[in-house]
Amino acid sequence: MKTFFRNIHLYLSLVSGLIIAVVCLTGGILVFEKELEQAWHPERYFVAPVATPALPLERLTAAVKAYKADAKITGMKVYADPARTVEFNLAGAPGGPGGEHKGEGKEQKAEGRQGHEGRAEAGKGPQVAGQRAEGGREEGQGGKGGAEGKGGKGGGGEGGRGPVVFVNPYTATVTGELNYRETFFFTMMALHRGMVGGPIGKLIVGVSTVMFLFIILTGLVLWWPATRKAVKQRLQVKWTGGWKRLNHDLHIVLGFYSALFLFVFAFTGLAWSFEWFNKGIYAVTNSPMQRPEPPTSVVPGAATATPAVTPEAGAAPAPAVSGLTADAALARARELAPSSVYYSLQLPKDPTGSIRVATLRPNATYENATDEAYLDQYSGQVLSQQTYEQRNLGQRVRGLFKPVHTGSIWGWPSKIISLVVCVLGFTFPITGTILWLNRLRKQRRKQAKLVAA
């Protein structure tokens, strides 16, 4: 029976081993994406706090528009930490209008979290500083149909978000700009998910991941010791043995210790490869996958019942209705959640849209376990409100996939485990191939002896 499992283990490994090695290596690099990004570009994320209060968002917005005249601000993120910069999300794909500011290009090659989660969440990661710069929508917080918070055109998708501009809240100085698609970490993420090969590349990574699950399971079957005496041998690496024995133990013993973690990482990774897997999460949890449409704002005067009057030729147009300022929206958000770690404001796209406010509690389960509220863009009235606990079970389960997959679920301890396991996962196709080649040589020598005899 073990021969059957050994053949499955071998042939699946030969087919998918290279892909698995690349996925594990890039996954290991992405584990500390947020920390590395902030260490490489501290000026983007941190400032020296001063005794004077932070400038109003109106001043910071003017600084962003002076820095980029054609900038269209779609959202902003303000931290409770006085040592953090304010992040402004701009519309437009990097490289296009509103793309990278000339002169800043080469310095941005390192990335800056969906907050995402960030997914501007700059960090997988997690998102670095939040969701790839922490400016995007949190994982699982997308609009309609957004099981993953894919967002709309030009934002929130895999690398499709616009630039993020960082501003000193005390001096209104632009401290940096992040175009995620042009960073080293985006390249790693594209390799990790197979995006470099388009839909076919993602499919190849997804199929290889499924194979990896079977490789892990069959590996456990092959590891299982035949006798009690062999248990100790399967649990300890014999560092004093020859290179063949060491290679054998590195593959089998360390493979056993890392099997559970690799299985969890591979299983959760399927959510980024197959839509049917995401649908399955919501089906199993008996939860609706579609998110309700965001509530709409009431345009002042639009609902007044007055007879239709055709304006006279040359008559002046009706004055534009002024909406809630960003500072007023932030003040309203602070009233709703006074102790939040950050306040993320997503501005409406049209006159009837609402302002989306996402806040993170200090004791949140994970970085993207945010509460959200929608404000009328004219009156500031709360149109709808939802805490993380009020999300349906499917959204909460799906939201956990990213922090579990990236190892950020329990902070540094789980990240270190994730990094070690990813490095081991990278080595297993190598040590496994060496094991196979050694067996082939042994079989050939045995056959040669039989022929000679």
Side-chain angles (χ1 to χ4, degrees), residues 16 19-20 23 204-214 265-267 269-270 273-274:
S16 62
I19 302 297
I20 290 169
V23 168
I204 290 172
V205 168
V207 172
S208 297
T209 303
V210 173
M211 290 182 182
F212 193 33
L213 293 174
F214 284 98
F265 295 154
F267 182 79
L270 293 176
S273 293
F274 300 114

Side-chain angles (χ1 to χ4, degrees), residues 16-333:
S16 62
L18 180 60
I19 302 297
I20 290 169
V22 171
V23 168
C24 287
L25 178 63
T26 53
I29 293 171
L30 289 168
V31 168
F32 285 101
E33 176 184 355
K34 175 179 177 178
E35 290 77 10
L36 290 172
E37 167 62 21
Q38 291 181 349
W40 290 344
H41 299 283
E43 73 285 352
R44 287 183 188 165
Y45 302 97
F46 303 104
V47 295
V50 297
T52 57
L55 296 172
L57 289 177
E58 184 179 1
R59 284 278 304 278
L60 305 186
T61 300
V64 173
K65 291 185 175 178
Y67 170 76
K68 251 185 186 342
D70 58 349
K72 181 181 179 183
I73 297 172
T74 59
M76 55 201 71
K77 196 166 197 175
V78 181
Y79 291 86
D81 183 354
R84 289 298 300 267
T85 54
V86 176
E87 298 171 9
F88 285 82
N89 292 84
L90 308 184
E100 177 177 322
H101 192 271
K102 57 185 176 183
E104 283 245 299
K106 300 298 180 184
E107 300 175 5
Q108 323 257 345
K109 299 286 181 184
E111 142 121 11
R113 154 293 257 105
Q114 14 36 297
H116 275 277
E117 64 144 280
R119 228 161 206 145
E121 190 146 61
K124 193 188 152 308
Q127 297 117 41
V128 163
Q131 194 145 345
R132 298 274 190 280
E134 296 182 18
R137 302 193 82 172
E138 286 80 17
E139 184 92 13
Q141 288 288 328
K144 64 177 182 175
E148 295 180 44
K150 292 179 181 177
K153 296 178 182 176
E158 293 173 326
R161 66 187 65 85
V164 178
V165 174
F166 302 84
V167 182
N168 186 316
Y170 306 105
T171 64
T173 303
V174 174
T175 62
E177 179 183 347
L178 170 70
N179 290 317
Y180 184 59
R181 287 190 69 95
E182 299 176 3
T183 65
F184 166 75
F185 287 114
F186 175 77
T187 302
M188 292 298 100
M189 191 266 283
L191 286 169
H192 186 71
R193 296 191 188 175
M195 290 163 54
V196 289
I200 299 299
K202 289 186 71 175
L203 178 62
I204 290 172
V205 168
V207 172
S208 297
T209 303
V210 173
M211 290 182 182
F212 193 33
L213 293 174
F214 284 98
I215 291 169
I216 294 168
L217 293 175
T218 54
L220 288 173
V221 173
L222 295 173
W223 172 90
W224 197 262
T227 63
R228 286 188 179 183
K229 211 173 184 180
V231 172
K232 186 178 178 181
Q233 200 178 43
R234 296 293 174 93
L235 294 175
Q236 291 182 353
V237 176
K238 190 175 181 180
W239 300 102
T240 57
W243 76 269
K244 288 184 180 180
R245 175 58 189 269
L246 182 59
N247 180 79
H248 173 276
D249 286 357
L250 290 177
H251 188 80
I252 292 177
V253 177
L254 298 185
F256 170 73
Y257 287 120
S258 61
L260 176 61
F261 298 103
L262 286 172
F263 190 91
V264 171
F265 295 154
F267 182 79
T268 52
L270 293 176
W272 284 273
S273 293
F274 300 114
E275 184 60 21
W276 58 261
F277 189 86
N278 283 306
K279 290 179 179 178
I281 295 170
Y282 288 86
V284 169
T285 56
N286 195 28
S287 307
M289 189 171 180
Q290 293 284 109
R291 286 175 57 83
E293 290 280 357
T296 56
S297 298
V298 178
V299 182
T304 305
T306 55
V309 178
T310 304
E312 296 179 9
V321 179
S322 60
L324 204 66
T325 65
D327 290 289
L330 178 60
R332 190 75 177 96

Side-chain angles (χ1 to χ4, degrees), residues 264-398:
V264 171
F265 295 154
F267 182 79
T268 52
L270 293 176
W272 284 273
S273 293
F274 300 114
E275 184 60 21
W276 58 261
F277 189 86
N278 283 306
K279 290 179 179 178
I281 295 170
Y282 288 86
V284 169
T285 56
N286 195 28
S287 307
M289 189 171 180
Q290 293 284 109
R291 286 175 57 83
E293 290 280 357
T296 56
S297 298
V298 178
V299 182
T304 305
T306 55
V309 178
T310 304
E312 296 179 9
V321 179
S322 60
L324 204 66
T325 65
D327 290 289
L330 178 60
R332 190 75 177 96
R334 283 174 169 157
E335 288 176 14
L336 296 172
S339 61
S340 292
V341 174
Y342 66 71
Y343 301 88
S344 178
L345 307 179
Q346 185 174 349
L347 305 181
K349 295 179 180 179
D350 53 61
T352 61
S354 51
I355 301 172
R356 178 181 177 271
V357 177
T359 57
L360 182 71
R361 282 174 270 169
N363 60 344
T365 310
Y366 57 94
E367 193 167 5
N368 291 325
T370 55
D371 303 327
E372 70 174 12
Y374 285 91
L375 307 179
D376 186 294
Q377 65 168 298
Y378 302 104
S379 67
Q381 177 186 352
V382 178
L383 301 175
S384 72
Q385 208 169 354
Q386 185 184 55
T387 64
Y388 169 73
E389 291 77 15
Q390 289 172 331
R391 296 185 196 176
N392 65 48
L393 180 58
Q395 289 171 340
R396 282 180 280 138
V397 170
R398 178 61 182 87

